[in-house]
Amino acid sequence: MFEKNLTLISLFDIYGAMLSEQKQKMFELYYGDDLSLAEIAEEMSISRQGVRENLKKCEEQLIEFEEKLGFSKKSELIKAAIEKLKELKADGGDKKSIDSVVDSLSSII
């Protein structure tokens, strides 16, 4: 059975524009509109197997983009550092703690 990997949605938000228009549309129909493979096949005038193969290639490409570029991981690290800075600010954090978070942000860039 072909199961949806919902972590791909965040990767699509970052890297979707790097996919072909056909793959973008299939991904949006499958993940966004929750259409079945058969419904997508009918709408795009291709076989159900063709949809399945294209979605599989699309997913592989998104994962490959993340492995090579790492924007999703970097984004999560930046969000975590920002939350830490907010906590330090609220608690009146010391300069050493704030400098540590700033250093970690610098290393991401």
Side-chain angles (χ1 to χ4, degrees), residues 7 10-11 13-14 66 70-84 104-105 108:
T7 59
S10 64
L11 295 181
D13 289 342
I14 297 169
E66 177 57 20
F71 293 140
S72 180
K73 182 178 181 179
K74 288 177 184 176
S75 176
E76 291 302 315
L77 292 171
I78 290 169
K79 288 177 188 175
I82 289 169
E83 288 304 313
K84 182 67 176 172
S104 68
L105 280 169
I108 295 168

Side-chain angles (χ1 to χ4, degrees), residues 3 11 22 26-27 33 42-43 54 57 65 67 78:
E3 294 186 25
L11 295 181
Q22 181 184 26
M26 283 185 198
F27 189 94
D33 297 343
E42 184 177 325
E43 181 167 325
N54 273 297
K57 287 178 187 174
F65 293 150
E67 287 172 353
I78 290 169

Side-chain angles (χ1 to χ4, degrees), residues 33-95:
D33 297 343
D34 202 29
L35 295 183
S36 69
L37 298 178
E39 291 169 321
I40 297 169
E42 184 177 325
E43 181 167 325
M44 299 192 74
S45 301
I46 62 172
S47 70
R48 181 189 174 285
Q49 185 63 26
V51 172
R52 186 188 185 294
E53 289 172 4
N54 273 297
L55 280 171
K56 185 72 176 157
K57 287 178 187 174
C58 175
E59 292 170 356
E60 290 168 356
Q61 282 182 301
L62 291 171
I63 292 167
E64 182 180 350
F65 293 150
E66 177 57 20
E67 287 172 353
K68 290 183 177 180
L69 302 172
F71 293 140
S72 180
K73 182 178 181 179
K74 288 177 184 176
S75 176
E76 291 302 315
L77 292 171
I78 290 169
K79 288 177 188 175
I82 289 169
E83 288 304 313
K84 182 67 176 172
L85 284 173
K86 287 179 182 177
E87 289 173 20
L88 289 170
K89 181 180 176 184
D91 295 340
D94 60 274
K95 183 176 178 354

Side-chain angles (χ1 to χ4, degrees), residues 3-15:
E3 294 186 25
K4 294 182 180 180
N5 180 347
L6 299 181
T7 59
L8 293 169
I9 294 171
S10 64
L11 295 181
F12 182 78
D13 289 342
I14 297 169
Y15 304 112

Side-chain angles (χ1 to χ4, degrees), residues 89-104:
K89 181 180 176 184
D91 295 340
D94 60 274
K95 183 176 178 354
K96 185 177 178 182
S97 298
I98 294 171
D99 287 344
S100 173
V101 175
V102 170
D103 289 343
S104 68

